[in-house]
Amino acid sequence: MLNRLLAAPLMLCAFRPLFLLAAGAAVLGMAAWLGFLLLGWPLPGVPGGPVVWHAHELLFGFTFAAIAGFVLTAVPEFVDGPAAPRPAVLALVLLWLGGRVAWSASGVIGPWPAAVLNVAPVLVVIALVAPLLWRDPARRHLSILWALLAWLAVTAGFYTDVLRGEPPMRSLHAAIGVVMVLVVIVMSRISMRVVNSALDTLGETAVSYLARPPRRHLAVACIVLFTLADVLAPGAPVAGWLALAAAAALFNLQGDWHLGRVLLRRWVLMLYAVYVAMALGYALIGVAVLTDLGSVSGGRHLLAIGALGLSIFVVMNIAGRIHTGRELDTRRWIPIAAGVLLLAAVARAAWSWWPADGTLLWLAGGGWGLAFGAFIAHYLPLYWRPRPDGGLGCEGVMDSD
């Protein structure tokens, strides 16, 4: 039975089960949250209450599954190394599933099982990719390892606070910062392929796109400094100024993308929109902290839905299709779903100002669920089938000959 499961097409590469789990967690988690807020449905009793349950599942459930699926697929490609062994991927999937159950039951069985089952998958991913990243002669991608270690720290920090009986929300806020850093790191690698490929398609061979390290490093540094200030001195003026600095650095980073009409190509525009949402999110946080105008929560949700959600959706559609041996999907549902996600982010940010308007919350949660539900509908059939090009693993589209 185990051998048959490991040999199934679903286990050809780590992203197949993990991307599906991420999308499933996105849909089910948002349905439960909307039911709680708008229909009075009960949520599991966990340390910190419903908001902590919601943020925990968004980050340590949905987001981590997507990160793990991408990293275990991309790192071997980046460094020309072997893919993650199928037994290790299956163990990771089972640990992730156990973490979801244990966290939701933590109000009954205590937080220790959830702590073990949510920290262990991070250790598994690090153990699988750290040797590959370190053995790369140029060590060009070690920033991915540092980001994973930071994710391990915020996950452990969350459960340390829970076990001590302290408010754990600060670790969840820190986790958003770690994801934003990881998005900038990963986007620099993906965007150079996507944008330059689009330039070639348009025949603009005289122009090339380069994700310049100084702009990227400045953006990462500002995000890290804001995250530290947000954890150590939440609501302090220094946190507000650093949020505005992060927004400015991200707007500056967008300057690399301004190469003419290529910006209107579907994949380029969707990736660019991630940076726009991220910059606006930090800008809203900074303004809210410094002036009491707007809402810090609104800014955080622009980061969580607009930047985090959209980046995961787009990357899953790029990596999750190419590495099944298929060319990128050119159908309209992808840009439509991406637009719906952005509208959901705006609606949720607006709800922070007008919480009496339940329509905004329906739009936000419904848009999120529709986008990731569409992903499941389109990719579940692909992931249950072998690759059409004869490939046996995670490699990209193979030549027909």
Side-chain angles (χ1 to χ4, degrees):
M1 180 66 179
L2 179 60
N3 289 336
R4 289 181 62 186
L5 176 60
L6 292 174
L10 184 63
M11 299 301 295
L12 272 177
C13 193
F15 73 85
R16 291 187 177 220
L18 289 167
F19 282 1
L20 288 176
L21 288 173
V27 174
L28 295 177
M30 187 56 68
W33 185 237
L34 282 182
F36 168 75
L37 290 177
L38 297 171
L39 303 175
W41 293 357
L43 284 177
V46 300
V51 174
V52 172
W53 177 87
H54 169 60
H56 179 282
E57 289 306 284
L58 170 71
L59 292 164
F60 299 143
F62 159 72
T63 301
F64 176 70
I67 290 173
F70 174 77
V71 167
L72 292 177
T73 303
V75 167
E77 180 185 19
F78 290 161
V79 302
D80 196 21
R86 295 190 192 190
V89 174
L90 180 59
L92 181 62
V93 166
L94 294 176
L95 286 169
W96 183 91
L97 289 170
R100 312 286 55 77
V101 175
W103 170 242
S104 290
S106 59
V108 177
I109 65 176
W112 270 109
V116 172
L117 289 169
N118 279 282
V119 170
V122 188
L123 292 172
V124 170
V125 173
I126 291 173
L128 290 171
V129 301
L132 300 178
L133 292 168
W134 199 260
R135 285 200 298 265
D136 178 28
R139 293 183 179 173
R140 297 161 296 173
H141 308 288
L142 277 181
S143 54
I144 295 175
L145 177 59
W146 308 142
L148 288 173
L149 290 172
W151 187 265
L152 176 64
V154 296
T155 307
F158 174 87
Y159 281 103
T160 298
D161 285 342
V162 167
L163 292 167
R164 289 178 176 176
E166 298 177 2
M169 205 65 194
R170 61 179 181 174
S171 294
L172 297 171
H173 291 162
I176 294 175
V178 173
V179 177
M180 295 301 104
V181 168
L182 187 58
V183 168
V184 173
I185 291 171
V186 169
M187 286 264 287
S188 67
R189 288 148 175 83
I190 294 176
S191 61
M192 281 197 288
R193 297 186 182 185
V194 171
V195 179
N196 286 317
S197 176
L199 286 168
D200 290 342
T201 301
L202 291 171
E204 298 184 7
T205 56
V207 182
S208 62
Y209 167 79
L210 177 65
R212 292 176 175 81
R215 287 179 166 176
R216 185 172 71 251
H217 293 165
L218 177 61
V220 167
C222 290
I223 292 171
V224 169
L225 290 173
F226 164 75
T227 302
L228 290 173
D230 192 37
V231 170
L232 299 175
V238 64
W241 288 114
L242 287 170
L244 292 179
L250 287 161
F251 280 124
N252 176 58
L253 184 60
Q254 293 165 29
D256 290 339
W257 296 67
H258 298 160
L259 300 171
R261 58 178 178 156
V262 71
L263 191 58
L264 299 179
R265 304 291 289 185
R266 65 156 59 188
W267 297 106
V268 178
L269 186 58
M270 287 188 285
L271 291 172
Y272 181 79
V274 171
Y275 281 139
V276 174
M278 196 184 301
L280 291 175
Y282 281 115
L284 282 180
I285 292 172
V287 170
V289 169
L290 294 173
T291 68
D292 292 327
L293 296 174
S295 165
V296 171
S297 175
R300 290 195 200 280
H301 280 88
L302 270 182
L303 296 179
I305 300 176
L308 185 156
L310 181 60
S311 64
I312 287 176
F313 178 79
V314 175
V315 169
M316 288 200 311
N317 273 285
I318 293 175
R321 188 170 172 93
I322 289 177
H323 292 281
T324 63
R326 295 170 174 86
E327 299 293 342
L328 291 177
D329 195 331
T330 59
R331 290 173 291 180
R332 294 180 180 179
W333 76 269
I334 292 178
I336 291 173
V340 167
L341 264 179
L342 286 174
L343 289 175
V346 172
R348 181 54 184 85
W351 187 76
S352 299
W353 284 286
W354 299 288
D357 190 347
T359 303
L360 290 171
L361 201 56
W362 279 116
L363 288 173
W368 175 275
L370 283 172
F372 287 101
F375 179 88
I376 295 172
H378 284 88
Y379 282 85
L380 182 59
L382 301 186
Y383 292 172
W384 281 105
R385 295 201 297 263
R387 294 170 54 116
D389 61 353
L392 300 176
C394 300
E395 63 270 20
V397 181
M398 298 178 66
D399 294 335
S400 58
D401 54 351

